Amino acid sequence: MDTQSIVILDFGSQYTQLIARRIREQNVFSAVLPCTASLEEIQSYKPIGIVLSGGPCSVYDADAPPADAEVLGLDVPVLGICYGLQFITHHLGGKVRSAEKREYGHAEVNIVDTKNPLFESLPADLTVWMSHGDEALELPAGFHLTAKTANAVAGIANPERRIWAVQFHPEVHHTRQGTALLRNFLFNICDAKADWTPAHFVQSTVAAIKDKVGDKHAICALSGGVDSSVAAVLVHRAIGDQLTCVFVNNGVLRRNEFFKVQQTMRDKLGLNLVAVDASTRFLAKLEGVTDPETKRKAIGNEFIAVFDDEAHRISATTGGVDFLVQGTLYPDVIESSSVKGPSQTIKSHHNVGGLPETMKLKLIEPLRDLFKDEVRRIGRDLGMPEEILERQPFPGPGLAVRILGEVTAERVALLQEADEVVVNEIKAAGLYRQIWQSFAVLLPVKSVGVMGDQRTYAYTCAIRAVHSEDGMTADWVPLPYEVLKRISSRIVNEIRGINRVVYDITSKPPGTIEWE
Ligand code: XMP
């Protein structure tokens, strides 16, 4: 890592990711590390500043996150946020207590030290977002109060030691001057350069991958989604044909997807791609299966088997494979076992079942510090088509979890047609990019209808469209009636086998996004 960075130590706040995002929006690189990271690990990021995040614990809790307080002695500016302020207070000899009046939500803060570089150009009264149960009671020696609420300490500083802290959350957009405050930390205090751009990221990541892989060979399981595609293109830029991508048709892809992904990734972008049509194998495993989890497992296991076969074949022709490329993003990292930060329990996400462990491949995860929108920016810089970059998320088990009941070739074909109508109409209405996911679900329910003078007895299709930030919660989208009307009319008129369309108006929770 030869880029200067701001290191964020994660004490478990649900907002930690947002701090990183806000800093990178200022074109300064920032990486989130678990609060337990060693000083060497922190220093390997060449930090020009350290942010201590918020967190759900009290510094006096038996299970308070065990960060190394030596981090306060490194010769770089520190910004504590919420729990970070209490951590600083507690470890440098001040006192923290359980607040008489807990503060959650909006609060008014008065800046008492208006000359403080952290508050430069900010108004004296700020509307901020608070979320804490503890407060600083006595400040450590050398610290002074910089801001307060009616009830409590809202900011402290020790400019000599280059330590600043605020009790509120500048990263949350309800804190109106939050970005200005973070900018002050970056540019007034840390002297950061705003030079972390997609081009810079591509350049330094390509160099690092080249260095790591040398003349060895890497493989990548390509799904056609944004993450694995951008990871593959990035690694291809670094090592060219030493990367082989494997794209598997599991029989439950969207219509023409097997063909389209090959066309884009191999023909347009020049990737060395092995496309395996294993749809018959997958559909055989799905025969008679109706339970959602059994479906997921069947698909996951079969995927591993197919990928394993291909990997061995590639290994035999290339003289061995050493590396596996994965499009892991930061929200996935907080789940992984290599980084055990306290916020890992907040998010749970689905994976199709992982990849073969027996191959003992070393991982290359070039996107592991990034968020989805940042990955899209990188993809754009790599010249990838918008069609791939703007794709809505698609589950690993594909259309199988959108076909309730048994998955058969006939039902897959029906749903592929309906899915294509939904996606095309949502795109035609200019709504595709604003919506997190929009799709059709095939129900195992038949009902009576009439077409011309004919009685029909056919399947029902449900339409689902949701807004979401991260898939963890979601709201159904009030699609314009005109769009619903077109989708419904096209599906029942154009698809023989579906004669009724319903719209799903369930939020998550209590529903989930997918029906299975
Ligand atoms: P749910 O249905 O749990 O979905 O609200 C949340 C997000 O995860 C996707 N999803 C999956 N992705 N394998 C995946 O790779 C799965 O088994 C799976 N199940 C759901 C879903 O599309 C949504 O974006």
Side-chain angles (χ1 to χ4, degrees):
M1 168 78 46
D2 57 357
T3 313
Q4 51 161 241
S5 65
I6 300 288
V7 167
I8 300 165
L9 292 184
D10 177 18
F11 286 94
S13 163
Q14 55 180 315
Y15 301 129
T16 305
Q17 310 179 28
L18 264 184
I19 307 173
R21 173 187 295 252
R22 296 284 174 256
I23 293 176
R24 293 206 292 257
E25 278 168 5
Q26 301 306 319
N27 292 333
V28 175
F29 182 67
S30 82
V32 176
L33 298 181
C35 60
T36 48
S38 66
L39 292 184
E40 293 79 64
E41 202 175 344
I42 295 172
Q43 273 167 323
S44 74
Y45 277 81
K46 299 207 168 59
I48 52 163
I50 293 175
V51 177
L52 309 180
S53 85
C57 288
S58 161
V59 283
Y60 296 116
D61 284 351
D63 57 354
D68 190 340
E70 292 288 313
V71 70
L72 299 173
L74 294 177
D75 189 25
V76 282
V78 172
L79 173 65
I81 294 178
C82 193
Y83 180 88
L85 180 147
Q86 291 148 23
F87 179 88
I88 291 166
T89 307
H90 179 64
H91 285 281
L92 296 182
K95 268 204 188 114
V96 173
R97 68 164 177 190
S98 183
E100 276 169 17
K101 195 159 174 287
R102 291 169 161 246
E103 289 181 299
Y104 290 103
H106 289 286
E108 298 301 321
V109 160
N110 175 248
I111 295 175
V112 291
D113 176 11
T114 48
K115 300 240 163 15
N116 196 306
L118 192 63
F119 299 134
E120 193 182 289
S121 314
L122 266 61
D125 293 307
L126 304 178
T127 300
V128 303
W129 189 257
M130 288 278 191
S131 155
H132 68 108
D134 284 356
E135 62 182 0
L137 180 64
E138 278 173 28
L139 305 192
F143 278 75
H144 68 273
L145 184 78
T146 58
K148 60 182 177 54
T149 63
N151 306 307
V153 168
I156 62 173
N158 181 339
E160 258 168 43
R161 288 193 67 163
R162 300 209 284 167
I163 301 180
W164 285 261
V166 287
Q167 185 58 67
F168 53 91
H169 288 274
E171 69 279 20
V172 174
H173 96 139
H174 302 285
T175 297
R176 285 198 207 122
Q177 308 287 339
T179 302
L181 188 151
L182 288 173
R183 282 182 58 86
N184 284 342
F185 179 66
L186 297 177
F187 301 116
N188 287 352
I189 294 174
C190 300
D191 211 8
K193 285 192 229 44
D195 61 0
W196 191 77
T197 56
H200 183 154
F201 174 86
V202 169
Q203 197 189 11
S204 64
T205 310
V206 162
I209 295 171
K210 263 191 190 149
D211 203 40
K212 185 168 176 175
V213 178
D215 59 1
K216 301 273 192 300
H217 206 90
I219 49 173
C220 172
L222 200 67
S223 72
V226 181
D227 310 344
S228 67
S229 302
V230 174
V233 171
L234 196 51
V235 174
H236 179 252
R237 169 99 34 123
I239 60 170
D241 282 351
Q242 285 163 259
L243 170 71
T244 308
C245 298
V246 178
F247 176 47
V248 177
N249 184 358
N250 58 9
V252 280
L253 299 178
R254 280 169 287 198
R255 196 173 189 200
N256 291 332
E257 189 163 20
F258 187 56
F259 168 73
K260 275 202 253 169
V261 170
Q262 291 183 60
Q263 206 182 31
T264 315
M265 304 304 282
R266 185 196 287 131
D267 305 345
K268 282 199 195 140
L269 296 170
L271 263 64
N272 177 8
L273 178 71
V274 177
V276 190
D277 189 351
S279 38
T280 323
R281 267 174 82 164
F282 280 86
L283 288 177
K285 294 279 177 202
L286 288 168
E287 214 177 296
V289 179
T290 53
D291 174 66
E293 287 313 303
T294 317
K295 274 184 198 173
R296 276 199 174 74
K297 281 206 189 87
I299 294 174
N301 292 339
E302 197 54 24
F303 183 82
I304 291 178
V306 173
F307 188 78
D308 206 24
D309 287 351
E310 289 309 315
H312 281 102
R313 218 188 310 275
I314 295 163
S315 190
T317 54
T318 58
V321 172
D322 285 77
F323 294 93
L324 175 68
V325 178
Q326 284 193 326
T328 320
L329 307 194
Y330 176 71
D332 311 324
V333 171
I334 54 176
E335 269 278 283
S336 83
S337 54
S338 61
V339 182
K340 281 230 181 289
S343 66
Q344 61 171 339
T345 47
I346 293 174
K347 189 168 164 100
S348 81
H349 73 117
H350 318 251
N351 261 326
V352 195
L355 289 168
E357 274 181 16
T358 49
M359 296 192 63
K360 304 259 176 282
L361 298 171
K362 284 173 245 155
L363 282 185
I364 302 179
E365 299 179 308
L367 311 174
R368 62 179 285 127
D369 290 321
L370 307 185
F371 299 94
K372 195 116 185 163
D373 55 332
E374 294 173 317
V375 171
R376 291 189 164 122
R377 278 172 65 195
I378 303 297
R380 260 173 221 127
D381 196 77
L382 288 164
M384 294 175 65
E386 282 303 307
E387 202 193 322
I388 291 193
L389 300 178
E390 284 306 333
R391 281 193 135 180
Q392 293 177 352
F394 187 65
L399 299 180
V401 291
R402 297 179 182 169
I403 295 174
L404 277 70
E406 192 186 358
V407 179
T408 61
E410 180 220 357
R411 290 183 175 188
V412 171
L414 271 185
L415 184 58
Q416 282 177 332
E417 283 189 70
D419 174 73
E420 191 173 57
V421 170
V422 175
V423 171
N424 286 349
E425 287 302 330
I426 298 266
K427 280 187 176 163
L431 297 170
Y432 186 79
R433 289 171 66 162
Q434 300 161 29
I435 291 176
W436 171 262
Q437 274 173 296
S438 44
F439 54 88
V441 181
L442 189 69
L443 307 186
V445 174
K446 284 190 169 181
S447 71
V448 174
V450 56
M451 272 207 121
D453 291 332
Q454 296 281 320
R455 175 189 192 272
T456 59
Y457 186 58
Y459 286 119
T460 306
C461 159
I463 307 302
R464 181 104 169 110
V466 294
H467 285 310
S468 176
E469 284 275 317
D470 53 9
M472 299 304 296
T473 59
D475 278 331
W476 60 278
V477 179
L479 282 180
Y481 284 159
E482 282 311 310
V483 177
L484 285 171
K485 201 162 148 183
R486 261 197 310 278
I487 290 175
S488 157
S489 135
R490 281 197 56 196
I491 289 179
V492 291
N493 282 298
E494 294 173 21
I495 306 174
R496 193 180 275 268
I498 299 179
N499 68 349
R500 195 173 290 271
V501 176
V502 296
Y503 191 48
D504 181 353
I505 51 167
T506 319
S507 301
K508 172 182 181 176
T512 52
I513 295 177
E514 304 293 344
W515 275 45
E516 290 195 334

